[in-house]
Amino acid sequence: MKINFKNVLCLILSLIFTTQLLGVTAKAEVETKDNKGIVVDAKSALLMEPSSGKIIYEKNAHERFSPASVTKIMTMLLAMEDIDSGKIKLQDKITVSENSKKMGGSSMILDTGEVRTVEEILKGIAIASGNDAAVAMAEYLGGSESGFVNMMNQKAKSLNMKDTNFKNCTGLPAEGHYSSAYDISIMSRELLKHSKILKYSSTYMETISEGRKAPIGLVNHNKLVRFFKGCDGLKTGFTNEAKYCISATAKQNNVRMLAIVMGSPTYKIRNNDASMLMNYGFSKFETKKVVLKDQELEKIGLNKNGDKYLIAKAQKDFLITIERGKKNNITKKFVIKQNLKEYKKDQVIGFCEIYNDNKLCGKINVYSDRNIKKSRVWDNFKDNFLELFDKAV
């Protein structure tokens, strides 16, 4: 039988091509399954639902990279802690040092000896990513930049940020200055607890003119605050070493998402990755009211018979962000003040802790629905006596 080598060759090539195609298809299916269909071009990324801390997506989340100006999230966190605790005030004055002025990179364009408020310096950090503003804040809070950097590292340690070491408060290139997407999500989530920061990080343009011949014009480096629905922070970063980085957060329909992207080749890819991640999160989660304001939550017995009691009512609504379609186990635990001789109507008498799958989601104050006195010693004695009598019968 005569063999047609041309047909055999075509058959072999066809088999090779089919095998390769099947191999590529199989690989694509595995990647889609493992990564939930998400393809991130950056070196590292993470998506978190910050109210619960649930990580929805991650890529090389614990790998250490230079964070560039995303470093300033920790700078802002320490500042906001001092503001919210009352240690410093927004209108306190900061005098700009020569050391602050000479910082390179992005700048608020401060002058040596210039006096600006804490709030103005905070705007310079959050909006314009000013390295001069960051150092001015660091020197004000820590006495010196090095003293403040020690505070940054101590805070990182207390937050269990194991993949982070700070060498400065700006994110300018420095040997041994690094963080990870996971650690950035930790400090970003912590900063979000100080909601006032969003007033500044969501501002696209701001002008500071008081006491200056030439006004300071601040423009937000985070373009997502303008072009992505609900985006109100937090911080971008870029150096030649770090490439393009961002910690982005947005809120839609009472659901907040937090996306970290590190090492993107361009700012457009960085923004696209962050937008894609947050959109994915919004498609997977929803927020529901599990407690309504003034809702009757629990009957609190004040004696053993249970005939003396009050109703604990919710002081405000309580919302919880949950995965769509997932069965959730919502439970409540009440902590009521025991040192009161009587409870008055509308008086806050304790709080209610709300859990989802045994994980604490938060708590709300509860108040009494009536005026009622606690049982006296004789009442307690009578209750105990009747209880014994009932058991005997």
Side-chain angles (χ1 to χ4, degrees):
M1 183 176 69
K2 187 176 179 181
I3 299 174
N4 189 325
F5 288 101
K6 184 177 179 181
N7 289 341
V8 172
L9 180 61
C10 288
L11 179 61
I12 292 171
L13 291 174
S14 177
L15 287 170
I16 292 172
F17 176 76
T18 302
T19 302
Q20 289 179 335
L21 181 61
L22 289 172
V24 170
T25 303
K27 182 180 179 183
E29 288 175 352
V30 169
E31 288 178 348
T32 299
K33 181 179 179 182
D34 289 347
N35 297 334
K36 303 180 178 68
I38 298 174
V39 178
V40 173
D41 290 326
K43 292 179 181 178
S44 175
L46 182 144
L47 176 65
M48 174 189 283
E49 192 284 293
S51 70
S52 64
K54 181 177 177 60
I55 296 173
I56 307 165
Y57 170 87
E58 59 183 314
K59 173 185 176 181
N60 300 328
H62 289 278
E63 194 167 340
R64 296 172 176 179
F65 296 104
S66 173
S69 283
V70 177
T71 297
K72 295 186 179 84
I73 288 174
M74 182 61 83
T75 306
M76 291 188 289
L77 172 58
L78 293 178
M80 290 307 302
E81 285 184 340
D82 280 0
I83 291 167
D84 285 347
S85 68
K87 187 175 179 181
I88 62 173
K89 295 180 175 61
L90 288 172
Q91 297 311 310
D92 287 350
K93 305 295 185 181
I94 296 178
T95 302
V96 179
S97 69
E98 176 63 25
N99 185 46
S100 299
K101 177 181 169 53
K102 70 181 183 182
M103 287 293 115
S106 55
S107 175
M108 190 181 171
I109 317 178
L110 295 168
D111 293 325
T112 303
E114 183 172 353
V115 178
R116 303 254 62 100
T117 66
V118 166
E119 184 175 38
E120 288 168 336
I121 295 296
L122 195 56
K123 288 178 180 179
I125 300 170
I127 302 171
S129 192
N131 293 327
D132 51 356
V135 172
M137 183 68 79
E139 291 175 341
Y140 181 70
L141 297 180
S144 64
E145 184 182 5
S146 61
F148 186 76
V149 171
N150 288 335
M151 293 166 58
M152 292 171 71
N153 285 313
Q154 288 171 9
K155 185 65 179 180
K157 186 177 180 180
S158 72
L159 293 173
N160 203 28
M161 294 167 57
K162 297 180 180 179
D163 306 315
T164 297
N165 187 58
F166 295 115
K167 290 291 186 177
N168 57 55
C169 64
T170 60
L172 287 168
E175 187 176 352
H177 186 96
Y178 55 80
S179 191
S180 68
Y182 179 79
D183 280 5
I184 290 171
S185 74
I186 291 176
M187 64 178 178
S188 297
R189 185 187 181 204
E190 196 70 17
L191 180 57
L192 285 171
K193 294 177 182 178
H194 303 271
S195 57
K196 292 176 186 175
I197 194 63
L198 297 174
K199 173 184 175 183
Y200 310 114
S201 63
S202 64
T203 300
Y204 187 66
M205 295 184 71
E206 177 85 5
T207 299
I208 296 174
S209 57
E210 186 176 349
R212 289 183 62 93
K213 292 181 179 178
I216 299 173
L218 306 176
V219 180
N220 205 321
H221 290 210
N222 182 6
K223 306 308 176 188
L224 294 181
V225 301
R226 190 177 181 189
F227 298 111
F228 187 89
K229 180 183 176 182
C231 184
D232 48 9
L234 277 169
K235 193 72 198 69
T236 62
F238 170 79
T239 63
N240 289 329
E241 177 190 359
K243 301 306 178 187
Y244 293 89
C245 308
I246 193 170
S247 173
T249 187
K251 190 174 184 179
Q252 296 181 11
N253 300 318
N254 287 319
V255 175
R256 180 169 291 283
M257 285 292 144
L258 175 65
I260 314 300
V261 176
M262 301 186 75
S264 281
T266 70
Y267 76 89
K268 288 184 177 180
I269 291 174
R270 173 194 68 189
N271 291 349
N272 286 338
D273 281 347
S275 299
M276 174 189 60
L277 287 171
M278 289 191 291
N279 278 329
Y280 177 76
F282 289 130
S283 73
K284 300 290 287 184
F285 283 78
E286 62 182 337
T287 293
K288 291 186 176 181
K289 285 184 181 180
V290 294
V291 172
L292 300 177
K293 184 177 183 294
D294 301 322
Q295 179 182 340
E296 295 184 355
L297 297 179
E298 186 76 356
K299 178 180 177 180
I300 307 295
L302 299 177
N303 62 2
K304 291 192 175 182
N305 285 341
D307 58 353
K308 182 172 281 193
Y309 62 89
L310 59 82
I311 304 295
K313 301 177 75 173
Q315 192 178 50
K316 63 179 182 179
D317 293 340
F318 188 87
L319 287 73
I320 184 171
T321 302
I322 56 178
E323 292 186 59
R324 296 181 189 272
K326 181 182 177 182
K327 187 176 180 181
N328 295 277
N329 179 28
I330 308 297
T331 55
K332 303 179 184 71
K333 179 182 176 182
F334 293 86
V335 178
I336 305 299
K337 295 176 182 178
Q338 299 295 325
N339 59 344
L340 300 177
K341 293 181 180 180
E342 64 178 307
Y343 299 97
K344 296 182 179 179
K345 186 178 179 180
D346 298 332
Q347 176 188 13
V348 173
I349 57 172
F351 57 86
C352 171
E353 294 178 337
I354 299 170
Y355 295 81
N356 184 17
D357 294 331
N358 296 318
K359 185 174 182 180
L360 180 63
C361 300
K363 62 183 181 181
I364 54 171
N365 287 336
V366 294
Y367 66 91
S368 174
D369 72 326
R370 67 193 68 188
N371 296 315
I372 190 167
K373 292 183 179 181
K374 268 187 175 180
S375 294
R376 294 174 298 178
V377 175
W378 168 248
D379 291 332
N380 290 332
F381 173 78
K382 182 173 67 174
D383 290 339
N384 292 334
F385 177 78
L386 289 174
E387 184 180 3
L388 289 171
F389 180 78
D390 290 341
K391 286 180 180 179
V393 172

